Amino acid sequence: MVKKDLKSGMVVRTNNNIYYMVLRDTGMEITDYSDKDVLLRIDQKGNIGHDGWLSLSAFNDNLEHEYNEWSIAEVFSVRYADDIGRIVRYKSMWKK
């Protein structure tokens, strides 16, 4: 798995066991507060985006971040579009 394989709606787990939803091509400008491709944090209750975000441009092609605890360790996906966001429906598709 490399960065270009990540698609909107996928979920990733970082080395520090924090989960994020992938959003590609958001149409936003690249600034300190937004980016075109982002990871939205998922809190322990399954709420998406209320607890922080990471810029996907901060990761290299091997899904590694400058700070190792934020490097991507696992990627999850769902089979059907209507399952996007239903965290319990996600299945692991790649693990480092």
Side-chain angles (χ1 to χ4, degrees), residues 15-95:
N15 283 335
N16 57 0
N17 288 316
I18 296 175
Y19 292 81
Y20 294 86
M21 178 163 285
V22 177
L23 288 181
R24 302 296 301 253
D25 298 319
T26 64
M28 295 181 185
E29 293 182 29
I30 299 172
T31 70
D32 290 342
Y33 304 102
S34 66
D35 201 337
K36 180 178 89 134
D37 301 317
V38 297
L39 303 177
L40 294 178
R41 187 171 178 166
I42 302 170
D43 68 19
Q44 292 180 345
K45 293 180 182 179
N47 296 315
I48 299 167
H50 299 285
D51 221 8
W53 67 283
L54 295 171
S55 169
L56 199 53
S57 62
F59 292 80
N60 67 23
D61 287 337
N62 294 320
L63 306 177
E64 297 165 334
H65 193 277
E66 166 184 9
Y67 300 107
N68 187 52
E69 66 266 21
W70 289 345
S71 291
I72 295 172
E74 193 168 5
V75 178
F76 302 82
S77 186
V78 291
R79 188 169 177 174
Y80 304 108
D82 68 344
D83 287 334
I84 293 172
R86 295 180 183 180
I87 302 307
V88 297
R89 301 274 176 106
Y90 281 77
K91 304 284 185 220
S92 178
M93 61 178 293
W94 177 85
K95 196 174 196 177

